[in-house]
Amino acid sequence: MAVTRSKRPASSLLPAVAALVAVAGLLSLAGPAAATGKTGQVTVFWGRNKAEGTLREACDTGTYTIVVISFLSVFGQGGNKPPTLDLSGHPIAGIGDDIKHCQSKSIMVFLSIGGFGDHYSLPSAKAATDLADYLWYAYFPAPTPRAGVHRPFGDAYVDGLDFFLDRGSPAYYDVLAKRLWSYNKQFRARTPVQLSATPRCAFPDRQVQRVLATGLVTRINVRFYGDAHCAAYWQQEWDKWTAAFPEDSIYVGLPASEQTVGYVHPKNLYYGVVPVVQKAANYGGFMIWDRYADKKTNYSSYAIEWA
C-alpha cells in the first residue's frame, strides 16, 4: 500500500511512539531538526525488477543521491564463465545514456557485485586480479581500451564498486579491492574508483571482513532488514558498526516494502531512528532496498527529507 506523505507525524501518535522509544532507551522524542549529523544522502539499489522503471526514471525522482546497479552476479568460479550482469530483464541498451543522465544531476552510480545467487567466487588471488582488471576496462574510465573487453554501457562509466557478498568464501576480495583501487593512481584531480560494501547487519559480517580490513571502503550500507534479530536489536548493531569503522560513512539500510522484516514505519523512522543514528559522527545517510518497492511506496520521499 502506498504511504501517504506528510511533513511531520501527527501529534495524536506521540504517546504510543513515546512508549516505544522509552523502551529503546532514548531520552527524548527529538526529531531530525535536533540531530547533528544530517547529510541528505540516500542510496537505492536498482536492477532487481524490470517493473521498477529505467535508471533514468529513478534518478529523476529527486529522492536518491546514489543509485547502485545490481548485480554483476556471475564471475570467478575458475574462469568457466565470463563476468555477467543480471539486471532482471532490463535491456542493457540505453543504460549508458541513463548513467550519464544521472551523473549530470550529481547522482553517483555504482555497480554492485555478488548478490543472492551462488554463481560467483574468487578461487585465487589471480582470479581476483583478473576480475579487477576486467572491471576497470569494462565499467570504469580506463583511458585506453583493452582488446577483447566489451563495455556493456559503452563510453559511460560507473563511479564506484559495491561489494554485496552473500555467498561463497570471503577470500581474495581484499585482493580485488586493492587492485581496482590502484588504478586511482593514474588520476590526480579525482578518484574514479570508489568502494562501498553492503553487509548484513549482524556484526561482524565475515563475507566482507577482508574487504573492509583494506581501509579502502568509504561507504558501508548496513542491511537492517531481513533478519529478526537485527530488527529487534538494530541499535546495538548500529553502535558496533559505527564504532568499528569511524572513518567510513555508515548508512542505515532499510526496506521500502512493508512486507519485509525490518520495515520501519515513517513515523517511527522520524522519531525513533533518525535521532539515534544522526548522533554518530560517521552517520552517512539511508540506503533503500529497493527501487521496485520504493516506486510503489515512495518511502524514499521521507528518507531524503530526514536524511
Side-chain angles (χ1 to χ4, degrees):
M1 180 180 295
V3 179
T4 302
R5 182 183 175 107
S6 61
K7 288 285 186 179
R8 288 176 180 266
S11 59
S12 62
L13 293 172
L14 292 180
V17 175
L20 291 173
V21 172
V23 172
L26 300 179
L27 298 177
S28 69
L29 284 175
T36 60
K38 191 170 183 179
T39 65
Q41 297 295 306
V42 175
T43 295
V44 70
F45 274 75
W46 176 90
R48 295 294 79 224
N49 193 306
K50 189 176 181 180
E52 69 197 335
T54 66
L55 182 63
R56 178 184 293 258
E57 290 169 349
C59 290
D60 283 344
T61 63
T63 58
Y64 313 125
T65 54
I66 300 176
V67 178
V68 184
I69 297 175
S70 55
F71 294 105
L72 184 81
S73 60
V74 177
F75 58 81
Q77 296 193 323
N80 296 325
K81 295 182 180 180
T84 305
L85 284 169
D86 172 14
L87 300 182
S88 306
H90 283 288
I92 300 297
I95 292 182
D97 288 339
D98 287 1
I99 290 173
K100 294 178 182 179
H101 176 76
C102 295
Q103 292 167 337
S104 74
K105 301 170 75 72
S106 298
I107 298 171
M108 290 194 295
V109 180
F110 278 50
L111 172 66
S112 187
I113 64 170
F116 303 109
D118 57 1
H119 297 293
Y120 60 88
S121 66
L122 292 177
S124 66
K126 183 180 184 304
T129 299
D130 289 347
L131 180 60
D133 291 345
Y134 165 79
L135 290 169
W136 172 250
Y137 286 102
Y139 294 102
F140 287 91
T144 57
R146 170 172 282 189
V149 177
H150 171 65
R151 293 186 64 88
F153 305 145
D155 62 352
Y157 55 83
V158 297
D159 298 290
L161 187 76
D162 176 71
F163 292 85
F164 195 114
L165 307 176
D166 258 26
R167 301 287 188 272
S169 168
Y172 304 114
Y173 286 100
D174 55 335
V175 177
L176 189 160
K178 291 176 182 178
R179 175 71 171 188
L180 193 55
W181 184 266
S182 71
Y183 282 108
N184 287 327
K185 297 177 182 178
Q186 302 179 29
F187 299 81
R188 293 184 179 181
R190 61 193 180 97
T191 305
V193 177
Q194 300 186 49
L195 301 179
S196 68
T198 304
R200 289 164 290 193
C201 87
F203 182 87
D205 183 349
R206 63 180 294 272
Q207 295 297 126
V208 296
Q209 273 185 296
R210 293 193 180 191
V211 173
L212 296 179
T214 64
L216 301 177
V217 172
T218 56
R219 295 176 178 84
I220 302 176
N221 308 303
V222 184
R223 289 180 269 162
F224 291 99
Y225 57 87
D227 184 307
H229 167 82
C230 289
Y233 300 100
W234 68 269
Q235 189 173 344
Q236 294 179 19
E237 299 299 336
W238 169 258
D239 290 342
K240 292 176 183 177
W241 282 104
T242 54
F245 300 99
E247 302 302 318
D248 295 342
S249 294
I250 313 298
Y251 286 65
V252 184
L254 296 173
S257 171
E258 298 178 13
Q259 306 304 314
T260 303
V261 173
Y263 175 81
V264 179
H265 191 280
K267 294 178 177 63
N268 294 337
L269 176 66
Y270 182 89
Y271 283 106
V273 176
V274 170
V276 175
V277 298
Q278 290 186 353
K279 290 179 181 178
N282 55 341
Y283 158 77
F286 291 105
M287 181 275 278
I288 304 300
W289 182 269
D290 55 2
R291 169 60 185 157
Y292 173 67
D294 191 46
K295 185 177 181 180
K296 295 192 293 184
T297 65
N298 205 26
Y299 195 84
S300 64
S301 64
Y302 295 95
I304 194 66
E305 185 175 346
W306 302 333

